Amino acid sequence: MLYGFISTAEVQLLPSHRASFAMTQDPMDLDPELPSNISEEVTSPPPPGTNKQIPQSIIIGVRKGGTRALLEMLDIHPDVAAAATEVHFFDWDENYSKGLEWYRDLMPYSYPHQITIEKTPGYFTSALAPERIHAMNSSIKLLLILRDPAERVISDYTQVYFNRLENHKPVQAIENLLVRNGALNTRYKAIQRSMYDVHMYNWLRHFSLEQIHIVDGNALIQDPLPELQKVERFLNLPPRIISSNFYFNQTKGFYCIRSDGRERCLHESKGRPHPAVNSTVLQQLRSYLHEHNRTFFRLVKRTFDWQ
């Protein structure tokens, strides 16, 4: 018997999570991604021959995995039209209820030969997004960028920490969130987001593995071009992104973009230093995620260089 695109043997890889898993809220972990206030703006007429298209590819996640870097790097390609904002159409009920034309209207104008791409990191961990995207286009190509899941937890905490500081809200040390009553706090939403196998199972119920290209977020940071060339091939784009499109910014400590005679780096909020984490607590986190990683590797038939 098949469950979507997963065999019975693969379903058994996730015996304890597939029915009961649910994201939970932690007082410290309020999501800083507020609904986009997209207003009607007076703009110049669109270029002749362009229109707004439903995305032919979506970057579905993962949060703090490098989705913004991936989108901006892909936007170098002349055949890509990238949406400027995170739309949250498939994961937020209030947006999904507005309908597909509302979604289309938020896309950029593009020429017929271009593909439209949007990115919303929240899609990967959404219980509803896979089914909703499948209902829109069952043959769509999905991009998923992942990084070391333990490092992703710390980066997730760091983003929320600085957001709360900027909004004059109380903050907690990361150890107080990772551990409760002497045990790892697996109800902490940042940890649940890093259980890649649980979320991947949900996507593979609706899409074949061949429709989901996984970008190695760690590799993208260290050497962007090879990862982007793989994406070009996956999307059937002609090879247009080249090594001279990137330069390493020594001050920021990561690669920036050079395109159309301009140079640009990601927002200053990217690349923030992570807090030092108690080594015992960090080992608890890595040990817990280790089995989830092994299951994920079996599901996607691929391994990653995660600790």
Side-chain angles (χ1 to χ4, degrees):
M1 177 180 179
L2 294 179
Y3 291 74
F5 289 94
I6 305 180
S7 68
T8 303
E10 289 170 320
V11 170
Q12 292 170 349
L13 293 175
L14 297 170
S16 61
H17 303 295
R18 62 178 184 268
S20 60
F21 183 84
M23 300 295 282
T24 57
Q25 186 85 345
D26 188 288
M28 170 65 179
D29 196 21
L30 299 176
D31 195 331
E33 297 179 32
L34 299 176
S36 301
N37 294 317
I38 302 168
S39 58
E40 294 288 335
E41 296 182 1
V42 178
T43 59
S44 57
T50 65
N51 58 23
K52 295 186 176 186
Q53 302 182 69
I54 295 295
Q56 294 94 341
S57 180
I58 299 176
I59 301 174
I60 59 174
V62 63
R63 172 183 160 111
K64 305 310 298 177
T67 58
R68 173 54 59 185
L70 177 59
L71 184 69
E72 294 204 10
M73 289 174 179
L74 282 176
D75 199 31
I76 295 170
H77 200 292
D79 292 354
V80 168
T85 60
E86 293 178 8
V87 183
H88 288 280
F89 179 64
F90 298 102
D91 59 336
W92 289 359
D93 290 343
E94 63 268 33
N95 285 347
Y96 191 69
S97 65
K98 296 174 184 177
L100 207 55
E101 288 309 308
W102 178 88
Y103 178 56
R104 186 201 307 270
D105 196 49
L106 297 179
M107 296 301 114
Y109 283 97
S110 61
Y111 291 97
H113 71 277
Q114 292 180 307
I115 64 170
T116 299
I117 300 178
E118 76 115 327
K119 75 102 175 172
T120 300
Y123 291 161
F124 183 57
T125 56
S126 165
L128 296 173
E131 183 176 4
R132 288 173 171 177
I133 293 175
H134 185 271
M136 177 190 73
N137 180 0
S138 61
S139 61
I140 196 169
K141 293 190 173 186
L142 305 171
L143 296 171
L144 173 63
I145 180 166
L146 300 175
R147 64 191 289 198
D148 182 311
E151 291 297 320
R152 199 220 62 80
V153 170
I154 300 169
S155 185
D156 199 322
Y157 163 85
T158 302
Q159 175 172 306
V160 177
Y161 176 87
F162 279 103
N163 271 279
R164 292 182 70 83
L165 279 184
E166 290 164 6
N167 289 289
H168 309 289
K169 294 180 179 180
V171 296
Q172 296 185 51
I174 189 171
E175 290 84 359
N176 294 343
L177 294 166
L178 290 174
V179 176
R180 292 282 168 86
N181 301 318
L184 193 70
N185 177 22
T186 57
R187 294 176 63 83
Y188 179 32
K189 192 161 65 172
I191 293 178
Q192 294 183 347
R193 289 190 184 108
S194 279
M195 295 159 61
Y196 298 155
D197 57 332
V198 175
H199 307 298
M200 194 67 186
Y201 170 81
N202 194 27
W203 286 90
L204 291 176
R205 289 178 58 232
H206 300 279
F207 296 96
S208 69
L209 189 58
E210 289 69 32
Q211 288 176 257
I212 306 173
H213 177 72
I214 302 174
V215 178
D216 186 332
N218 296 80
L220 186 75
I221 293 170
Q222 296 166 6
D223 188 7
L225 185 59
E227 287 300 307
L228 291 166
Q229 289 174 330
K230 293 173 189 174
V231 175
E232 283 180 323
R233 290 192 291 271
F234 174 70
L235 297 177
N236 295 320
L237 291 169
R240 294 290 182 270
I241 302 174
I242 56 178
S243 59
S244 61
N245 288 133
F246 308 102
Y247 68 97
F248 190 79
N249 186 304
Q250 295 288 349
T251 303
K252 292 180 175 291
F254 51 77
Y255 279 90
C256 296
I257 298 168
R258 184 184 291 117
S259 176
D260 298 325
R262 297 183 300 115
E263 296 182 351
R264 66 186 190 276
C265 292
L266 295 177
H267 188 267
E268 61 183 13
S269 65
K270 307 299 181 182
R272 283 170 169 161
H274 288 176
V277 183
N278 176 280
S279 59
T280 302
V281 172
L282 184 57
Q283 186 54 46
Q284 272 186 283
L285 176 63
R286 290 196 181 280
S287 296
Y288 176 76
L289 291 173
H290 179 71
E291 192 57 38
H292 284 284
N293 293 343
R294 290 182 60 185
T295 303
F296 177 75
F297 296 160
R298 292 198 294 269
L299 280 175
V300 301
K301 300 176 175 59
R302 179 179 170 187
T303 60
F304 293 83
D305 187 21
W306 300 331
Q307 295 184 37

